[in-house]
Amino acid sequence: MNTSRRAVLAAGAAGLAATTTLTTGAPAQAAPRHYPSKRHFGTLADGTAVDVWTVTGGGTRLQILSYGGVVHRLEVPDRNGHLANIALGFDNLADYVAKSPYFGGLIGRYGNRIAAGRFTLDGHTYQLPLNDGANSLHGGTQGFDKRMWQVEPFTRGGDAGLVLTRVSPDGEMGYPGTLKVRVTYTVTARGDWRIDYAATTDRPTVVNLTSHTYFNLAGEGSGSIESHTLELAAARYTPVDAGLIPTGELARVAGTPFDFRRAKPIGRDLRRGGEQLVYAKGYDHNWVLDKGISTTPGHALTLTDPPSGRVMRMYTTEPGLQFYSGNFLDSTLVGTAGHAYRQGDALALETQHFPDSPNHPAFPSTVLRPGTTYRTSTVHSFSTR
Ligand code: BGC
């Protein structure tokens, strides 16, 4: 049964007009059937209430937390129409706060690593918190994935979504400039999930926003993703040093385990001697997308789970893609449905500019200046085969 049908029944049982339970923050009469709904998810230690929002469209059901903009659940149908939650997560807020390795998080100000947490811009050197050995990862100790977001629901034609906004103060986590951030999560009428990121600043700064959903197309907690097949439209990747910082080289994937230009099972070359095993315990690298930077989202990859038939295609305006094969999941975290997550039980596919770009002038720039707007978009398109 879909959400709105359940809500109608619940409202009927309570003797209320059906539409009143379907809406949040908008006139009940005006609300289309697929208007996003919210409920209480948990309370932070400082008393802040956290909501979980549900957005539906096509066969897709997306749940987002006002804490961290976290993708809490993402349900899509298999070839027989059966829904599974394909995103790793927790069933409670406390675990997200205390333990999450960025499950579903909205990552900012800078996705992935900045070497030594340091960069120089216009002659000023900025120091960020070091939270990954000697480096700064995913925006520092209190990145955007650990902050509260303002959430406004909307519908537009057959699409439904949420606009998340937040003002990151000048100097937050060491980054210069007051950054006004606006992230739009849309579930389209056909069930695609789109993310549009926008940001402005009042001082020169660097920005690299992404989403850190851990995918398992067979369903979270169902086992390894090694038999998923991945096609990744990238002839090059950025090799890394021991701290997973790019060396600066754009190496060819041809003849290496990094070659996903033709779809292959993720596990096929995972254990084949190669750079992926030297420092990262698996794939944890940035691929240089053949499409380059674009103004509209271009094809990046196709991920398929052959047994269920679920297919996810990703399109992005970004030039890079961090493919992380869940190497550091070690069975200590118990997920949404009560199953422990082991190494390789999910993969993250983070559209982005390249890691450590502020220290690599030859990489596409992540600098944002006052008067210009940072804009990137990524589409996750679901189908079955
Ligand atoms: C990084 C990994 C890290 C993971 C989250 C990925 O984006 O590249 O090294 O372990 O995020 O914990």
Side-chain angles (χ1 to χ4, degrees), residues 100-103 107 111-113 132 137-138 210-212 214 243-244 280 283-286 322-329 348-350 352 355:
S100 183
Y102 306 94
F103 284 162
I107 304 295
N112 214 279
R113 292 171 177 80
D132 188 65
L137 175 66
H138 295 332
T210 191
S211 167
H212 207 301
Y214 283 67
L244 304 188
Y283 297 110
D284 191 359
H285 295 75
N286 171 71
Q322 184 83 12
F323 160 32
Y324 166 59
S325 52
N327 314 328
F328 303 112
L329 296 172
L349 297 162
E350 304 148 67
Q352 60 180 15

Side-chain angles (χ1 to χ4, degrees), residues 129-153:
L130 306 182
N131 60 339
D132 188 65
N135 303 315
S136 192
L137 175 66
H138 295 332
T141 44
Q142 290 284 311
F144 289 180
D145 59 296
K146 297 176 185 68
R147 305 281 181 175
M148 288 300 297
W149 291 78
Q150 295 289 331
V151 182
E152 288 297 327

Side-chain angles (χ1 to χ4, degrees), residues 65 67 70-71 88-90 92-107 137-138 141 145-146 212 214 329 333 341:
L65 304 184
Y67 170 81
V70 162
V71 175
L88 270 55
F90 297 112
N92 68 90
L93 182 62
D95 282 356
Y96 278 110
V97 173
K99 305 180 182 172
S100 183
Y102 306 94
F103 284 162
L106 191 47
I107 304 295
L137 175 66
H138 295 332
T141 44
D145 59 296
K146 297 176 185 68
H212 207 301
Y214 283 67
L329 296 172
L333 301 177
Y341 296 139

